[in-house]
Amino acid sequence: MSDCIFCKIAAGEIPSTKVYEDDTVLAFLDLDPQAPQHILLIPKTHIQSAADITAANSAVVAHIFEVAAKIAAEKGFSDGFRVVTNCGEQAGQSVKHLHFHLLAGRDFTWPPG
Ligand code: DGP
């Protein structure tokens, strides 16, 4: 999508601090970190939110979770991290391109609020 900020980051049109990249997934540091480690994982193709995951596009979501586990292992926080996706306005989704927050490096409360 031409006006999507995460599509532009995936295309390299807007700079980001990349943590991982392959043909279908990009991981980069969040601009507004909520934990000592705060990485965003996105599909390179535009999917608006978790509400738009279907049998046709879910393979990349499974792959994102593989990448999250790999990053956690490489960065040494496999024993304590949270993966979150905000879906829709009420849940606080500000960027309308599916993304998963990978957070680590502090204690997390439950329920998340
Ligand atoms: P959410 O509120 O769940 O839609 O999360 C969007 C996140 O994206 C938020 O934590 C801030 C981050 N973000 C927004 N714009 C940019 C950007 O241009 N670059 C980076 N690295 N992160 C961004």
Side-chain angles (χ1 to χ4, degrees):
M1 267 178 55
S2 58
D3 62 345
C4 171
I5 194 164
F6 284 180
C7 283
K8 289 180 179 172
I9 288 175
E13 294 165 12
I14 292 176
S16 66
T17 304
K18 291 179 189 176
V19 174
Y20 174 91
E21 182 171 21
D22 64 26
D23 289 347
T24 60
V25 171
L26 178 66
F28 56 98
L29 298 185
D30 195 294
L31 264 188
D32 182 22
Q34 302 302 312
Q37 303 268 6
H38 188 167
I39 296 159
L40 297 173
L41 298 109
I42 65 168
K44 288 188 170 179
T45 55
H46 187 84
I47 300 170
Q48 179 154 310
S49 77
D52 299 292
I53 297 169
T54 66
N57 63 21
S58 60
V60 72
V61 178
H63 184 46
I64 281 172
F65 277 80
E66 289 175 35
V67 171
K70 177 181 164 67
I71 291 170
E74 286 176 0
K75 292 192 172 288
F77 57 76
S78 293
D79 60 341
F81 65 87
R82 181 168 285 178
V83 179
V84 179
T85 189
N86 297 319
C87 179
E89 299 283 344
Q90 192 173 15
Q93 184 182 7
S94 60
V95 178
K96 304 299 187 295
H97 180 127
L98 179 64
H99 53 282
F100 294 87
H101 300 259
L102 173 59
L103 302 140
R106 65 168 171 84
D107 293 336
F108 296 99
T109 57
W110 192 263

